[in-house]
Amino acid sequence: MERDEGHTSGDDASIETVGCDDARILVSVVADDEATRHERRTLDAHLDGCADCSSFAAALTGAERRLRMRPAEPVPDLVLAVTSRVRPAVLGRGGWMRPALAWVAIVLFAQNIVPLVLGRTDGAETHLARHLGAFGVAMAIGFAYVAWRPHRSFGMLPFAGALVLTMFASAGFDLIDGDRSPLAESAHLAELAGLALLWMIAGSPGWNGWGDIRDRVGDRLHPVR
């Protein structure tokens, strides 16, 4: 790089004199927004006295602008495809489902906070009682969260459904073995009510309402239409 050092008055930075080849490199550096203040001043000093490099800089700036401002490529409209998979929350007439689920959450929390903290429930050992209490309190928190954010109901449904159904299976085995009475196991009805509310708020997946039943009955009565 051929340089002939000179100085500007009133500033602490020296401005170097560069040739056209180096100036065009600086034009590219400035276009990429990677130039230092000193490099910009050096380039400006060269462009002030070089018409060819000034034309080159203008052409490069124009080409860069055209590339950045080119029309966006067409993309398929995915709005319907995405929204068709979304399950909006169903809150019931007057929005009664959210308060009902919140009440179930309070009942479950009251039932399970003592076993969780004190480790006492129906004669079970402390370790087991606390585990049972932890599951119950977690379920209560989950139901309370859905009551607060009902659009999360569909995502929580598989976990809550699996937990409640396995609890009822365990209760059924206890009843068969005679270890528990039906009255004692009735405490799990709150969990079943919470699961039912959660399922309805999630849009009752797998259920199309009474119209689905009518269609099935009609298909059986009139197999050929």
Side-chain angles (χ1 to χ4, degrees), residues 191-210:
E191 297 157 356
L192 184 61
L195 178 61
L197 288 168
L198 179 65
W199 175 71
M200 289 188 290
I201 292 174
S204 304
W207 168 262
N208 294 323
W210 293 106

Side-chain angles (χ1 to χ4, degrees), residues 65-73:
R65 178 175 177 79
R66 287 193 298 272
L67 288 174
R68 292 184 177 182
M69 302 299 290
R70 69 184 185 277
E73 298 178 0

Side-chain angles (χ1 to χ4, degrees), residues 1 8 18 33 47 55 62 102 105 121 139 162 219 221:
M1 182 183 292
T8 60
V18 295
D33 198 23
L47 295 180
S55 299
T121 178
M139 180 67 69
D219 291 339
L221 294 177

Side-chain angles (χ1 to χ4, degrees), residues 22-223:
D22 293 330
R24 297 190 180 194
I25 294 175
L26 287 178
V27 169
S28 178
V29 173
V30 171
D32 293 337
D33 198 23
E34 297 177 353
T36 64
R37 184 177 65 177
H38 179 67
E39 289 173 333
R40 290 176 184 272
R41 296 184 61 190
T42 300
L43 176 62
D44 290 340
H46 179 84
L47 295 180
D48 287 342
C50 182
D52 291 340
C53 290
S54 296
S55 299
F56 174 81
L60 183 63
T61 302
E64 181 188 20
R65 178 175 177 79
R66 287 193 298 272
L67 288 174
R68 292 184 177 182
M69 302 299 290
R70 69 184 185 277
E73 298 178 0
V75 295
D77 186 359
L78 301 177
V79 174
L80 292 178
V82 173
T83 56
S84 63
R85 297 176 178 268
V86 175
R87 289 183 176 269
V90 178
L91 304 181
R93 181 173 297 178
W96 65 272
M97 292 184 186
R98 292 177 67 187
L101 188 60
W103 177 248
V104 170
I106 293 173
V107 171
L108 283 177
F109 186 85
Q111 288 177 342
N112 292 279
I113 189 63
V114 172
L116 174 63
V117 176
L118 302 181
R120 296 200 303 264
T121 178
D122 294 334
E125 63 178 10
T126 301
H127 180 72
L128 178 60
R130 285 204 169 104
H131 273 287
L132 295 174
F135 277 109
V137 170
M139 180 67 69
I141 294 173
F143 285 157
Y145 182 74
V146 171
W148 178 45
R149 291 284 188 267
H151 62 281
R152 301 289 189 180
S153 56
F154 188 77
M156 184 181 172
L157 188 59
F159 167 75
L163 185 57
V164 171
L165 292 179
T166 52
M167 282 185 177
F168 267 83
S170 175
F173 293 143
D174 287 339
L175 290 174
I176 293 173
D177 294 340
D179 296 335
R180 301 271 291 178
S181 66
L183 181 61
E185 294 297 339
S186 64
H188 294 297
L189 291 178
E191 297 157 356
L192 184 61
L195 178 61
L197 288 168
L198 179 65
W199 175 71
M200 289 188 290
I201 292 174
S204 304
W207 168 262
N208 294 323
W210 293 106
D212 188 29
I213 293 180
R214 288 194 298 269
D215 292 341
R216 293 181 182 180
V217 172
D219 291 339
R220 293 179 182 179
L221 294 177
H222 305 283

